């Protein structure tokens, strides 16, 4: 992990192991696959071509690539960057597509319909970056690997490279460990796609020092101009105004502090707070259970600048701390105090309590979950959703009469059948009546 503040490296440390079975520590030489965190770096490459007049956000992809389906032709570069193309996804379902060649992938996705019209919605999609890669290569007349490494990095050749196959033998690459093959068990995992067509999607590898150097160049506008950065970080005008995403980066606002970043495969994340001259880089080679990368970055940012905080995340964290320290009784007290704190006036407290309750259920801490859901029902007695959640917890705890009571209350309150949930509620009620 590295933290850069006002152009100075205020924290940089290696943690843990690059290889567990041989107890090889993470070192300055360790190389990490960025996975989807490759994308914003590729996006910077796109904007460098736009600056040179070789591309435009309004350009149609049909002008650069032959053989595309007719209904793909008018999709524009801006739709690829903002994930608003509506194209079918080359990356899913992973187990079915991971070994397909580029030709086989094209045959598969070309036959599928568009999900929606270009620009209407945000829908994360790997096909967008396959197209961007091929367009970059055509315009620059070089491979994506050479285009990115030569224009954005100046390292030794073997420390920054692209590979979308974790089975490749590469010196100093950190071994990937995930619980995907055996749920709950950390195992060596080899995520891969066949061929180089997926490089822009998920293939960039580098060391932490390489990333620190890249951040310095980017922050000093050595890669693209501030005007280009401002455009890149502008929210895309989706047809649905509730959706938010820029031209290739996720955007966040923490208590009035804008930030931009991206993550990859649940194990790598990068975030920039431009108005605070703060950058945070976190690179890992896997995880044993899912955790919230964005919440982690939010908490790290607050350690550096106290005024940077995500109200919902901090509210959630303080309740969890109270639960750990003093159980449900202390959590109730903490909740009442937090509710009166103006810093948390925007927090959706019902959702926060429900999130904590389900987190506890997933950890099989049912009695604690019941305590949290009970608090939520007391605080939001007219919400059908909180009664439904408490009913679920009671049913898991085999308190069937109490579960039935709250399911019936949820059904009564959900007169508008939100989320089309009443069919499920009726099935649960009938099941519990029999019990």
């Amino acid at each position: 992990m590295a933290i850069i503040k006002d152009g100075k490296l205020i924290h940089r440390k290696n943690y843990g192991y690059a290889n567990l079975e041989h107890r090889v520590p993470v070192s300055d030489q360790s190389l990490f696959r960025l996975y989807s965190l490759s994308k914003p770096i590729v996006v910077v490459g796109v904007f460098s071509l736009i600056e040179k007049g070789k591309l435009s956000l309004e350009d149609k992809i049909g002008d650069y690539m032959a053989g595309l389906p007719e209904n793909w032709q008018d999709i524009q570069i801006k739709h690829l960057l903002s994930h608003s193309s509506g194209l079918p996804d080359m990356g899913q379902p992973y187990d079915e597509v991971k070994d397909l060649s580029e030709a086989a992938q094209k045959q598969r996705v070309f036959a599928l319909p568009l999900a929606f019209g270009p620009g209407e919605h945000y829908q994360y999609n790997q096909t967008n970056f396959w197209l961007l890669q091929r367009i970059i290569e055509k315009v620059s007349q070089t491979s994506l690997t050479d285009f990115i490494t030569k224009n954005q990095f100046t390292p030794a050749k073997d420390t920054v490279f692209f590979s979308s196959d974790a089975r490749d033998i590469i010196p100093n690459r950190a071994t990937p460990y995930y619980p995907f093959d055996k749920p709950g068990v950390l195992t060596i995992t080899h995520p891969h796609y066949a061929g180089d067509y997926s490089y822009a999607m998920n293939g960039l590898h580098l060391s932490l020092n390489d990333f620190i150097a890249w951040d310095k160049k980017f922050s000093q506008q050595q890669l693209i101009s501030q005007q280009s950065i401002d455009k890149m970080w502008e929210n895309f005008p989706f047809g649905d105004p509730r959706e938010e995403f820029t031209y290739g980066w996720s955007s966040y606002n923490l208590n009035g502090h804008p930030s931009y970043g991206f993550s990859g495969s649940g194990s790598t994340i990068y975030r920039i707070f431009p108005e605070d001259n703060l950058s945070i880089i976190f690179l890992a080679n896997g995880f044993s259970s899912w955790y919230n990368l964005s919440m982690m970055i939010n908490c790290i940012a607050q350690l550096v600048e106290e005024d940077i905080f995500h109200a919902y995340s901090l509210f959630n964290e303080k309740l969890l701390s109270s639960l750990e320290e003093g159980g449900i009784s202390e959590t109730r007290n903490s909740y009442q105090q937090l509710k009166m704190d103006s810093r948390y006036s925007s927090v959706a407290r019902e959702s926060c309590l429900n999130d904590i309750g389900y987190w506890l259920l997933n950890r099989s801490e049912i009695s604690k979950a019941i305590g949290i859901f009970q608090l939520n029902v007391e605080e939001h007695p007219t919400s059908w959703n909180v009664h439904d959640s408490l009913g679920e917890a009671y049913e898991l705890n085999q308190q069937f009469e109490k579960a039935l009571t709250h399911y019936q209350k949820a059904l009564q309150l959900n007169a508008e059948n939100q989320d089309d949930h009443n069919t499920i509620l009726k099935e649960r009620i009938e099941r519990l009546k029999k019990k």
Side-chain angles (χ1 to χ4, degrees):
M1 182 171 69
I3 304 173
I4 302 102
K5 172 66 177 168
D6 296 328
K8 297 179 180 179
L9 189 61
I10 64 171
H11 178 88
R12 189 233 180 274
K13 188 173 181 180
N14 303 319
Y15 302 84
Y17 293 94
N19 182 278
L20 289 171
E21 54 270 34
H22 297 293
R23 309 299 282 179
V24 179
V26 171
S27 71
D28 291 357
Q29 287 70 48
S30 297
L31 306 178
F32 290 86
R33 182 174 174 183
L34 299 190
Y35 298 99
S36 287
L37 182 50
S38 306
K39 290 182 172 72
I41 294 175
V42 171
V43 170
V44 169
V46 171
F47 273 87
S48 72
L49 292 172
I50 292 173
E51 280 189 355
K52 296 173 183 176
K54 295 183 177 181
L55 274 181
S56 165
L57 290 174
E58 310 299 325
D59 286 349
K60 297 178 181 179
I61 63 175
D63 295 338
Y64 294 95
M65 296 185 65
L68 295 176
E70 184 64 30
N71 60 347
W72 291 32
Q73 299 284 334
D74 292 340
I75 292 171
Q76 297 171 302
I77 299 293
K78 64 182 180 182
H79 298 133
L80 304 181
L81 293 168
S82 60
H83 293 285
S84 65
S85 65
L87 290 169
D89 192 353
M90 274 188 169
Q92 296 295 331
Y94 170 72
D95 286 337
E96 294 180 16
V97 303
K98 62 184 180 182
D99 293 311
L100 295 181
S101 66
E102 182 175 14
Q105 279 277 36
K106 288 165 67 175
Q107 183 178 8
R108 185 181 75 89
V109 295
F110 285 179
L112 297 173
L114 297 183
F116 49 80
E120 291 180 5
H121 298 287
Y122 170 85
Q123 186 177 84
Y124 186 67
N125 188 312
Q126 304 290 5
T127 309
N128 296 320
F129 275 75
W130 162 64
L131 290 164
L132 285 170
Q133 176 175 338
R134 293 309 186 210
I135 291 170
I136 287 171
E137 290 174 334
K138 181 168 184 176
V139 170
S140 66
Q141 297 185 322
T142 187
S143 68
L144 181 75
T145 294
D146 285 345
F147 176 75
I148 295 296
T149 57
K150 291 179 180 179
N151 290 303
Q152 298 189 39
F153 298 92
T154 52
K157 189 175 180 181
D158 59 354
T159 64
V160 178
F161 60 91
F162 283 86
S163 168
S164 289
D165 195 334
R167 299 168 300 182
D168 293 341
I169 298 172
I170 297 168
N172 295 318
R173 179 160 68 171
T175 306
Y177 300 93
Y178 292 95
F180 301 146
D181 295 331
K182 297 179 181 179
V185 179
L186 202 62
T187 59
I188 297 175
T189 306
H190 297 296
H192 67 276
Y193 288 94
D196 68 354
Y197 68 90
S198 61
Y199 281 179
M201 306 174 191
N202 55 40
L204 184 58
H205 291 63
L206 41 71
S207 69
L208 179 58
N209 285 339
D210 291 319
F211 210 144
I212 292 169
W214 185 92
D215 172 80
K216 181 178 181 180
K217 287 183 178 180
F218 179 78
S219 298
Q220 294 179 352
Q221 295 90 52
Q222 295 178 24
L223 301 178
I224 55 175
S225 68
Q226 187 61 53
Q227 184 179 2
S228 292
I229 292 173
D230 291 343
K231 182 61 183 179
M232 182 175 67
W233 285 346
E234 185 180 290
N235 279 329
F236 181 82
F238 295 100
D240 185 343
R242 295 171 297 178
E243 297 173 332
E244 288 188 5
F245 194 73
T246 71
Y247 293 84
W249 296 60
S250 297
S251 61
Y252 312 85
N253 193 299
L254 305 182
N255 192 35
H257 297 257
S259 65
Y260 305 89
F262 217 74
S263 63
S265 199
S267 53
T268 65
I269 189 167
Y270 175 56
R271 185 84 69 80
I272 307 173
F273 296 79
E275 294 182 5
D276 300 280
N277 296 316
L278 173 65
S279 298
I280 302 171
I281 305 167
F282 178 87
L283 306 177
N285 51 327
F287 53 81
S288 57
S289 61
W290 286 105
Y291 61 101
N292 190 318
L293 281 170
S294 287
M295 186 182 293
M296 180 188 72
I297 293 295
N298 296 343
C299 293
I300 292 170
Q302 190 184 13
L303 294 175
V304 182
E305 291 284 350
E306 186 177 355
D307 195 46
I308 299 177
F309 66 88
H310 187 268
Y312 185 95
S313 300
L314 193 57
F315 190 90
N316 182 292
E317 182 185 348
K318 287 183 178 295
L319 288 180
L320 286 173
S321 296
S322 298
L323 184 66
E324 181 70 20
E325 293 167 7
I328 293 297
S329 176
E330 183 61 30
T331 305
R332 283 176 168 271
N333 293 334
S334 179
Y335 177 86
Q336 296 304 327
Q337 293 173 13
L338 293 170
K339 192 168 71 167
M340 303 302 293
D341 191 326
S342 61
R343 291 183 300 169
Y344 307 110
S345 59
S346 64
V347 171
R349 295 191 292 270
E350 177 186 330
S351 295
C352 185
L353 288 172
N354 243 31
D355 286 347
I356 293 173
Y358 279 109
W359 180 75
L360 291 166
L361 282 186
N362 290 334
R363 292 166 57 91
S364 298
E365 297 183 47
I366 299 177
S367 61
K368 288 183 180 179
I370 288 173
I372 294 296
F373 288 136
Q374 285 174 334
L375 173 60
N376 213 6
V377 166
E378 292 168 17
E379 291 290 316
H380 306 95
T382 61
S383 167
W384 69 268
N385 191 45
V386 299
H387 284 279
D388 179 54
S389 299
L390 180 55
E392 283 188 65
Y394 276 136
E395 184 175 4
L396 283 172
N397 210 37
Q398 297 190 354
Q399 294 175 272
F400 300 133
E401 289 186 6
K402 289 184 177 181
L404 178 60
T405 297
H406 286 281
Y407 284 150
Q408 290 172 328
K409 186 65 175 178
L411 182 63
Q412 175 189 342
L413 291 170
N414 193 19
E416 297 180 1
N417 194 21
Q418 291 180 6
D419 301 333
D420 197 27
H421 197 69
N422 285 355
T423 300
I424 295 173
L425 281 169
K426 290 175 182 177
E427 290 173 354
R428 290 175 177 172
I429 289 168
E430 291 305 312
R431 180 175 70 242
L432 288 183
K433 282 182 177 179
K434 293 177 181 177
K435 290 187 176 183

